[in-house]
Amino acid sequence: KEFPGPILPTNSIYVNEECGYQLEFPQEWAGWYFVNDNNPQAAVVRFYGKSMRGTVLAKTFSEDYDYGLTMFFILSEAEVNHGTYDSVTHIGTSKGVRYYFATTTDVSLSPLKAESDYWFDLSESECRRTENDWTKAQEMMEFYGSEDRAALKSAFSEI
């Protein structure tokens, strides 16, 4: 089955005009991520790799698909209070609204690394693409993975 997939940014700057902020990610991220901001107050930053496991995650009992794998969220204070998140950290303020980094309560990148759970039906070339995706995802996690989120706080700016 063919998957149309998301449009991947060709640069490293994400602009949320409605909320009045931008994030400047490392240039090496271009072509490897996208931001789902259907709800601008709850932007989802997603990894989008080169392997099938790194691009499309089938939803159980459905013909729908999630594109990419969730890395983290940028949430307004109001959105933080509406969900269950991990690692919630204030990263900036725009238009008087505080914005937070947060992660999911599960391990969303696991299809890239859990060989016995997810790789049982992969060809050798697909396994290599998945391994390369995991390496890239780990590099990207270094940017936002520090406990104080210093790089992400520096990347956030009001526009």
Side-chain angles (χ1 to χ4, degrees):
K1 183 172 180 174
E2 282 294 312
F3 303 101
I7 296 171
L8 302 178
T10 56
N11 64 37
S12 59
I13 298 174
Y14 163 70
V15 177
N16 188 319
E17 290 184 21
E18 184 172 320
C19 296
Y21 71 84
Q22 72 178 24
L23 289 165
E24 187 170 348
F25 298 121
Q27 185 57 43
E28 298 78 32
W29 282 34
W32 288 90
Y33 82 100
F34 69 99
V35 179
N36 177 337
D37 57 4
N38 291 337
N39 175 356
Q41 301 288 318
V44 185
V45 181
R46 299 179 71 90
F47 175 83
Y48 195 82
K50 310 305 181 215
S51 69
M52 189 65 159
R53 295 292 191 265
T55 56
V56 180
L57 196 60
K59 292 182 180 177
T60 308
F61 308 117
S62 172
E63 288 296 316
D64 293 330
Y65 293 87
D66 278 338
Y67 294 99
L69 302 172
T70 299
M71 291 192 297
F72 59 91
F73 301 90
I74 303 298
L75 304 166
S76 68
E77 192 161 19
E79 290 294 329
V80 168
N81 296 326
H82 283 108
T84 305
Y85 301 100
D86 280 340
S87 307
V88 177
T89 308
H90 176 250
I91 60 164
T93 302
S94 177
K95 297 182 178 180
V97 176
R98 292 170 59 91
Y99 287 90
Y100 294 83
F101 163 94
T103 59
T104 61
T105 56
D106 65 355
V107 181
S108 61
L109 295 173
S110 59
L112 296 177
K113 64 178 182 151
E115 202 169 315
S116 61
D117 293 338
Y118 293 95
W119 292 19
F120 61 90
D121 61 345
L122 300 185
S123 68
E124 188 175 322
S125 61
E126 183 64 10
C127 283
R128 278 193 304 278
R129 283 190 294 274
T130 304
E131 287 171 353
N132 292 339
D133 281 358
W134 175 238
T135 298
K136 185 63 175 185
Q138 287 178 300
E139 291 170 10
M140 293 168 80
M141 283 188 280
E142 289 177 15
F143 172 76
Y144 66 86
S146 69
E147 197 168 311
D148 66 355
R149 312 286 176 228
L152 204 51
K153 289 176 183 176
S154 294
F156 185 100
S157 60
E158 187 170 12
I159 54 171

